[in-house]
Amino acid sequence: MLLEVLASHVILIGLAGFAAGAINALVGSGTLITFPTLVALGYPPVTATMSNAVGLVAGSVSGTWGYRAELSGQWDRLRWQIPASLAGGVLGSFLLLHLPEQVFIMVVPVLLVLALVLVVVGPRIQSWARSRAEAQGRPAEHVSPVRMALLVFGTFAIGVYGGYFTAAQGILLVGVMGALLPESIQRMNGAKNLLALVVNVVAAIGYTSVASDRISWPVAAIIAASSLVGGVVGARYGRRLSPNALRSTIVVVGLIGLYRLLAV
């Protein structure tokens, strides 16, 4: 019966998975396409969340690989952010299995609006931080211990959120990094892809280990195959966008995702 139902939905799920993989590589928030699609097709919210998280790992891998060049020179910072994402993802996955999903769904719109504001004002914050550093005789690319601590904590908090719900964690990461780091948005996008991949892998392992019976494996397989291709396409064309075009794309996709989330 399940396979018969999937046969009538496979095209819609495949298209949603492709779009989610491309958007995750380019912006983040691809879950705001696949999750509402699965819910609209009749899958329970927790099943939709888990199946989607498992399937989108493939798209996260291809998107991260496509942005591998942008990761160069960021490892001194990522060696702190990756463990934070890892720990956050573990905690978030645990919470999904023990808390009502509505808890995070109610918080998502507020977090998404905040992240979009940070994406828009990020260049001004970076400019202010750069001017302040130069006035104090420090290199413009210097990241103070306070900002590093805030960055690691923010990465952990977003990891918790991502392990629980996954939707829009990429936009949240870009928003936080844009407010705290003297990096170009393309380089932040590369870091975002890697950190989101860490959380997605943790969540997928957690869901598979303790709640595999609540995952729709045919759905996860369709999303995996289609998002893998989508991640390649998204990374290929996303890296060609100018900073303003990429920033505008993030905001537009975020607003569309916000609408879709509220309409679920």
Side-chain angles (χ1 to χ4, degrees):
M1 176 63 71
L2 178 59
L3 291 178
E4 292 175 359
V5 173
L6 282 174
S8 65
H9 294 165
V10 64
I11 295 177
L12 288 175
I13 296 173
L15 289 174
F18 173 84
I23 290 174
N24 276 342
L26 182 62
V27 177
S29 82
T31 292
L32 294 179
I33 294 177
T34 44
F35 177 76
T37 298
L38 294 177
V39 171
L41 291 176
Y43 295 93
V46 172
T47 296
T49 296
M50 293 184 178
S51 305
N52 179 65
V54 171
L56 285 181
V57 168
S60 295
V61 170
S62 60
T64 301
W65 178 255
Y67 267 89
R68 63 191 181 281
E70 280 71 20
L71 293 173
S72 176
Q74 299 194 64
W75 293 104
D76 283 346
R77 183 183 70 254
L78 287 171
R79 66 190 177 96
W80 296 101
Q81 286 184 273
I82 290 174
S85 286
L86 181 64
V90 170
L91 179 56
S93 300
F94 174 83
L95 292 176
L96 177 63
L97 300 173
H98 295 84
L99 292 178
E101 190 167 6
Q102 290 299 320
V103 173
F104 267 46
I105 292 178
M106 292 172 60
V107 176
V108 171
V110 177
L111 294 176
L112 185 53
V113 169
L114 177 60
L116 292 176
V117 170
L118 290 176
V119 170
V120 172
V121 303
R124 294 189 179 185
I125 296 175
Q126 289 179 340
S127 179
W128 171 81
R130 187 177 299 110
S131 298
R132 188 163 180 253
E134 292 174 351
Q136 296 176 352
R138 292 183 284 105
E141 65 275 9
H142 174 72
V143 178
S144 69
V146 172
R147 278 199 288 167
M148 179 61 76
L150 289 173
L151 178 66
V152 172
F153 175 78
T155 302
F156 168 77
I158 295 169
V160 174
Y161 163 83
Y164 190 101
F165 188 61
T166 72
Q169 64 171 317
I171 293 179
L172 294 174
L173 282 167
V174 171
V176 169
M177 288 190 290
L180 295 172
L181 297 177
E183 291 281 7
S184 71
I185 191 166
Q186 289 287 10
R187 284 170 61 78
M188 288 188 291
N189 207 38
K192 173 267 293 179
N193 285 341
L194 176 59
L195 295 172
L197 171 61
V198 170
V199 174
N200 288 345
V201 168
V202 168
I205 292 174
Y207 302 158
T208 302
S209 300
V210 302
S212 61
D213 57 319
R214 303 175 75 178
I215 298 172
S216 173
W217 291 102
V219 166
I222 294 169
I223 293 176
S226 55
S227 69
L228 181 68
V229 179
V232 172
V233 173
R236 178 178 180 181
Y237 291 100
R239 297 177 66 239
R240 300 178 183 180
L241 292 177
S242 68
N244 287 337
L246 181 55
R247 204 174 298 275
S248 298
T249 302
I250 291 174
V251 172
V252 170
V253 172
L255 291 174
I256 294 173
L258 179 62
Y259 169 77
R260 288 181 59 84
L261 184 67
L262 294 175
V264 171

